[in-house]
Amino acid sequence: MSDKIIDLRSDTVTKPSPAMRQAMAEAEVGDDVYLEDPTVNRLQSRAAEIFGREAGLFVPSGSMGNLTCIMAQTFRGQEVICEAAGHIYNYEMASMTALGGVLPRLVAAADGILTWDKIAPAIREKVYYRPQTALISLENTHNMAGGTVYPTDVAEEICDRAHEVGIPVHLDGARIFNAAVYLRQDVAAITKKFDSVQFCLSKGLGAPVGSMIVGSRDFIERCRAIRKMLGGGMRQVGVLAGAGLVALEEGPKLLPRDHENAQILAQGLARIPGIQIDPAKVQTNIVIFDVGRTRLAAPQLVKKLDQREVLSGAVDATRIRVVTHRDVGRADCEQAVRVIGEVVGAGY
Ligand code: TLP
């Protein structure tokens, strides 16, 4: 891909930085299935330390991390409450059902942010002939709601009330560091009440591959067995963990800039006739805008933008998602707004 292309499809598209490449080249490795990869062990301890937990586990992807956490906390035939537009339900190949044997129980929420009041009625009565609610899963930031952030008190109330009725709570924290930047709190503080946390190294933090699960030592041991069952036991994977360590230390510092750039996009897009977006609702690095009042359907517009070397993604027939990350700068975002304005203005 040439340097001219402005790739706003996702924060997953970042290329490893020179420091990551160096860490990968120099990583000390061993067989991680034997627990002998020193770089993986370091990454896992460091992630646990940052999140104030007993242990961490390196997994190949966010999807496997979420599924592993679900399988570790549910039995077949049970239900998992999740938000209707959430990633776990919409973009993970129905894995919780196909592989975990559990049913998602969907609850829709404005901006993707669930509250206990919305969750409580979806919890099953404790009677043997009904599928039992085994787990609640929240997503912070919420991807398809446009990178929205859970107010910490809302998330904590869900955890507290769920625990009172014996239900654990999982966090799909793929972009939890973005939430922490927005909230000006650290990740340990905003995740401390969750029973399990999955976060991605390969999104805004910039690593080429990988996610982490953090939790109690017992929980992580269960997850390690499930990860192996799912085919995620890796060998000399310190070469990836080395990049992950750099991402974990250096990545969070770059996120405020991504959020500023998302504002450049949102504010610029809001000025284009026919495009609807409220920049005040853009909290992190994801910008979803509506093109229903332009003459182009979202997938058509995306194609036209591709031809102009601005890459984006259609969410549905009228909405487009653009995501900022470490490999796009302010000038790229300004240029993207110009191009989108021209293409929408031309209208064909
Ligand atoms: N999200 C991807 C796509 O799958 C949509 C993206 O480009 O945003 N949780 C959340 C909230 C996510 O956004 C994603 C990936 C995942 C989990 C899964 O992570 P991976 O792709 O590593 O399996």
Side-chain angles (χ1 to χ4, degrees):
M1 217 171 252
S2 89
D3 281 350
K4 267 170 51 194
I5 291 176
I6 301 170
D7 194 346
L8 300 168
R9 286 171 302 169
S10 181
D11 47 9
T12 59
V13 301
T14 56
K15 307 271 166 62
S17 66
M20 285 178 200
R21 297 249 188 208
Q22 192 182 341
M24 293 170 85
E26 291 171 2
E28 248 190 287
V29 296
D31 190 327
D32 182 50
V33 173
Y34 295 126
L35 312 176
E36 285 171 5
D37 189 300
T39 313
V40 171
N41 291 340
R42 224 157 25 94
L43 173 63
Q44 293 176 162
S45 314
R46 185 68 185 123
E49 181 182 45
I50 290 171
F51 281 75
R53 300 296 178 122
E54 284 176 2
L57 187 70
F58 187 42
V59 287
S61 68
S63 302
M64 191 187 284
N66 284 332
L67 177 60
T68 302
C69 290
I70 289 172
M71 289 176 71
Q73 295 175 96
T74 57
F75 293 106
R76 300 178 75 78
Q78 294 185 321
E79 284 188 346
V80 177
I81 292 178
C82 38
E83 205 283 320
H87 196 277
I88 274 186
Y89 178 68
N90 293 287
Y91 294 90
E92 297 185 14
M93 307 301 297
S95 63
M96 75 165 84
T97 304
L99 304 174
V102 293
L103 211 55
R105 176 81 187 252
L106 300 184
V107 180
D111 299 323
I113 304 299
L114 288 167
T115 55
W116 179 253
D117 288 353
K118 286 203 176 294
I119 290 171
I123 292 175
R124 297 286 194 177
E125 62 178 312
K126 283 205 180 350
V127 50
Y128 83 91
Y129 49 77
R130 296 275 229 160
Q132 292 295 290
T133 308
L135 184 69
I136 295 165
S137 178
L138 308 186
E139 183 175 320
N140 195 13
T141 66
H142 192 296
N143 185 349
M144 285 301 152
T148 47
V149 177
Y150 266 89
T152 304
D153 58 336
V154 172
E156 291 196 338
E157 188 193 9
I158 294 171
C159 294
D160 286 340
R161 302 291 293 273
H163 292 156
E164 279 164 26
V165 292
I167 299 173
V169 188
H170 170 65
L171 176 64
D172 176 357
R175 299 184 177 83
I176 195 63
F177 284 91
N178 296 85
V181 164
Y182 177 77
L183 294 168
R184 297 174 193 275
Q185 285 182 288
D186 63 43
V187 288
I190 64 177
T191 60
K192 66 177 187 293
K193 297 215 171 187
F194 288 87
D195 300 270
S196 55
V197 179
Q198 178 280 123
F199 71 93
C200 293
L201 298 165
S202 66
K203 304 224 159 38
L205 303 188
V209 178
S211 276
M212 304 299 302
I213 300 170
V214 292
S216 69
R217 207 175 304 285
D218 276 1
F219 175 74
I220 292 299
E221 286 318 311
R222 285 209 303 283
C223 287
R224 193 190 306 285
I226 294 166
R227 180 188 68 174
K228 189 75 176 78
M229 187 197 285
L230 295 173
M234 298 174 285
R235 302 294 178 173
Q236 286 71 23
V237 73
V239 288
L240 296 181
L245 271 163
V246 176
L248 198 50
E249 299 303 340
E250 302 302 326
K253 298 175 201 157
L254 301 174
L255 299 180
R257 202 197 62 155
D258 293 349
H259 296 187
E260 282 162 30
N261 288 336
Q263 275 304 319
I264 302 280
L265 284 171
Q267 286 167 24
L269 290 167
R271 288 194 287 271
I272 299 173
I275 288 185
Q276 287 169 284
I277 169 132
D278 180 359
K281 291 193 111 176
V282 174
Q283 299 177 327
T284 57
N285 69 327
I286 299 179
V287 180
I288 295 181
F289 56 101
D290 194 294
V291 298
R293 293 190 187 161
T294 71
R295 278 177 285 175
L296 292 165
Q300 268 180 303
L301 182 48
V302 166
K303 270 201 196 126
K304 292 198 179 295
L305 294 174
D306 286 354
Q307 287 157 11
R308 297 284 309 271
E309 302 188 317
V310 172
L311 309 190
S312 59
V315 174
D316 53 32
T318 64
R319 291 182 306 151
I320 293 179
R321 183 184 79 151
V322 283
V323 184
T324 57
H325 52 78
R326 59 191 293 158
D327 291 353
V328 290
R330 184 185 174 115
D332 297 319
C333 293
E334 289 167 348
Q335 167 68 1
V337 169
R338 264 193 302 278
V339 168
I340 295 169
E342 284 167 19
V343 172
V344 166
Y348 54 83

